[in-house]
Amino acid sequence: MKLGRIVGKIWATQKDPQLHGVKLYVLQPIDEAYRAVGKPVIAADAIGSGEGDIVFWVGSREATFIFPDKKIPCDVGIVGIVDAVNSETPASMKKRKNQLIADHFIE
Amino acid sequence: MDIGIVIGNIVSTMKHPAYQNCKLMLVKNVDLHLDPVGTVSVAIDSVDAGVGDIVLIANEGKSASDILKGKQLPVRSVIVGVVDKIRVHSSSPQ
């Protein structure tokens, strides 16, 4: 799964019947520092998220399973609203890596 | 599967039932020099990995559903192991 920010909404009345009643958002994938990564995609929402929310989403075939009762034709599904992101700084990650190398983690 | 490093975690209360009482970790894939590759992903932790651990990540729905004992769950990435040691023979391409 990946992180994302909902940056817009899409309405489409003429669409596949399985998508009726499904909310569609414009989703910008982001990284752990909330920076945009790649281009925005259109995502189906299964949990009642709203515009501006930081969310996490699932892609490819698993996105069709976001609704318990029906499979929908979609490849990006929003599956959770993120309350907090706790992430190490690149500097501390580098320190950890050097420690692992020093401990002969890789032979 | 990929090897990756756990760089943190996320907290989420409003989420799909498949993710209830799951630990959601932030992971970055690493190459065989432990340098991060690509962007961060969210993975369910099933082996009590901690921040800074080098882990084994499975990125496929069927195995994720099997691990979470469900059927057709909207889950792809699951941490399936904590790596203790890696040996790479120098003749193999890095």
Side-chain angles (χ1 to χ4, degrees), chain A residues 1-46:
Chain A
M1 295 75 71
K2 299 278 185 183
L3 295 173
R5 170 186 289 120
I6 297 180
V7 295
K9 196 170 188 337
I10 274 203
W11 291 268
T13 43
Q14 200 176 323
K15 59 191 172 189
D16 183 283
Q18 289 172 297
L19 280 176
H20 277 312
V22 174
K23 283 209 294 261
L24 298 172
Y25 286 113
V26 181
L27 177 77
Q28 169 62 58
I30 58 173
D31 66 10
E32 73 279 8
Y34 301 97
R35 292 176 298 234
V37 172
K39 60 179 178 51
V41 292
I42 306 305
D45 168 63

Side-chain angles (χ1 to χ4, degrees), chain B residues 10-74:
Chain B
I10 62 168
V11 176
S12 170
T13 38
M14 272 271 290
K15 55 195 175 185
H16 188 280
Y19 294 83
Q20 288 308 344
N21 37 55
C22 282
K23 263 170 69 181
L24 297 171
M25 310 304 279
L26 284 177
V27 291
K28 263 190 180 169
N29 287 355
V30 290
D31 61 18
L32 291 175
H33 304 289
L34 300 186
D35 292 322
V37 171
T39 62
V40 70
S41 308
V42 177
I44 288 184
D45 173 25
S46 69
V47 289
D48 272 344
V51 175
D53 283 347
I54 301 293
V55 290
L56 213 51
I57 306 160
N59 290 301
E60 191 271 330
K62 181 69 172 69
S63 21
S65 295
D66 292 347
I67 290 169
L68 297 174
K69 300 184 177 48
K71 259 167 60 64
Q72 293 187 334
L73 301 179

